[in-house]
Amino acid sequence: MEGKEQDVSLGANKFPETQPIGIAAQSQDDGKDYKEPPPAPLFEPYELISWSFYRAGIAEFVASFLFLYITVLTVIGVNRSPSKCQSVGIQGIAWAFGGMIFALVYCTAGISGGHINPAVTFGLFLARKLSLTRALFYIVMQVLGAICGAGVVKGFEGKTRYGQFHGGANFVAPGYTKGDGLGAEIVGTFVLVYTVFSATDAKRNARDSHVPILAPLPIGFAVFLVHLATIPITGTGINPARSLGAAIIYNKDLGWNDHWIFWVGPFIGAALAALYHQVVIRAIPFKSK
């Protein structure tokens, strides 16, 4: 009996019911089993003479090209179908976007980080995960890739049919206000970028190493879910390169009238996600050096 009481006492000491809060909680990382990557410099001139820098940009270009090619073709295929029952419908469009992000992030994560989205790049830049030089280069390559991808789709579909089905351009649907569209883009991008931060977090990867989940899987699934929710409102942007590429190739007033929403909304959502993850979840500003 005495031995059992001793075991209970040892167990209670080993697994306390209460956890420290506030600044005291940060001291738990003193013996951490992971390495926090150092903040990226604002400018990194040596990147400009590195082949890996340009290789990463090319990877972002190709990924954005393939992303627009598959997704815009899917959107037009659904819209041209005489009946939603004869097409993949909204669920199929959402799967096309989410599935492509899953595949492309998996393919390019080891080369460029697999951003494929200026909002993701912007959020990671705010968190000091990459330099301003690399962030700007990525965004330019993402936009160029998106334009080329949408252009190839227009070449396949023809100018008349492409224009008839709006070329996959984003706009606020009738019955919704611009404020509704902006709010949907902010929240949708927040979900995406917050998932990116969580799925690629160094601490989470170390502590949850026993959980065999690929980072691209939750990221792609987040894109899928956001599209299910917001396709009826804005067609779902949450990716300024995707919205700009489709708008440039479509090039009609419908694609430009609300276009600012698909830059302002995603950038605000990405900034909020970066702030929430870095300050609230990880409490990085409060950690001792």
Side-chain angles (χ1 to χ4, degrees), residues 61-73 142-156 162 245-246 249:
F61 173 88
V62 172
S64 294
F65 170 84
L66 295 174
F67 181 61
L68 265 288
Y69 171 73
I70 294 296
T71 55
V72 173
L73 266 180
Q142 290 158 0
V143 169
L144 291 176
I147 293 171
C148 292
V152 170
V153 174
K154 185 175 182 178
F156 286 170
Y162 187 86
I249 301 301

Side-chain angles (χ1 to χ4, degrees), residues 178-262:
K178 294 184 186 298
D180 296 332
L182 181 62
E185 289 296 306
I186 291 174
V187 176
T189 309
F190 179 92
V191 172
L192 169 60
V193 178
Y194 177 43
T195 303
V196 169
F197 273 106
S198 298
T200 59
D201 187 274
K203 180 177 180 180
R204 185 185 190 95
N205 290 338
R207 301 292 168 82
D208 296 347
S209 58
H210 60 286
V211 182
I213 295 180
L214 291 171
L217 181 59
I219 295 171
F221 201 64
V223 171
F224 165 70
L225 292 174
V226 171
H227 275 76
L228 280 183
T230 59
I231 282 176
I233 304 174
T234 62
T236 308
I238 67 171
N239 183 332
R242 170 261 187 274
S243 299
L244 181 60
I248 287 177
I249 301 301
Y250 178 54
N251 198 28
K252 292 185 179 179
D253 289 343
L254 182 64
W256 292 115
N257 290 338
D258 303 322
H259 186 69
W260 63 272
I261 290 173
F262 302 99

Side-chain angles (χ1 to χ4, degrees), residues 153-168:
V153 174
K154 185 175 182 178
F156 286 170
E157 295 290 337
K159 183 178 181 180
T160 301
R161 191 160 53 202
Y162 187 86
Q164 180 182 355
F165 299 113
H166 311 308

Side-chain angles (χ1 to χ4, degrees), residues 22 55 61 79 91 107-108 129 131 133 150 169 180 184 192 198 219 231 247 251 262 267 274-275 277 289:
R55 180 183 64 177
F61 173 88
N79 289 337
Q91 293 88 348
C107 292
T108 61
K129 303 293 185 181
S131 67
T133 312
D180 296 332
L192 169 60
S198 298
I219 295 171
I231 282 176
N251 198 28
F262 302 99
F267 272 49
L275 181 68
H277 184 268
K289 303 296 183 181

Side-chain angles (χ1 to χ4, degrees), residues 2-33:
E2 183 179 349
K4 290 184 178 180
E5 291 178 354
Q6 185 177 10
D7 290 342
V8 171
S9 178
L10 289 173
N13 292 331
K14 186 176 181 180
F15 303 104
E17 294 182 2
T18 59
Q19 297 293 329
I21 60 175
I23 300 299
Q26 306 309 321
S27 62
Q28 296 183 107
D29 286 341
D30 291 344
K32 57 189 178 184
D33 53 355

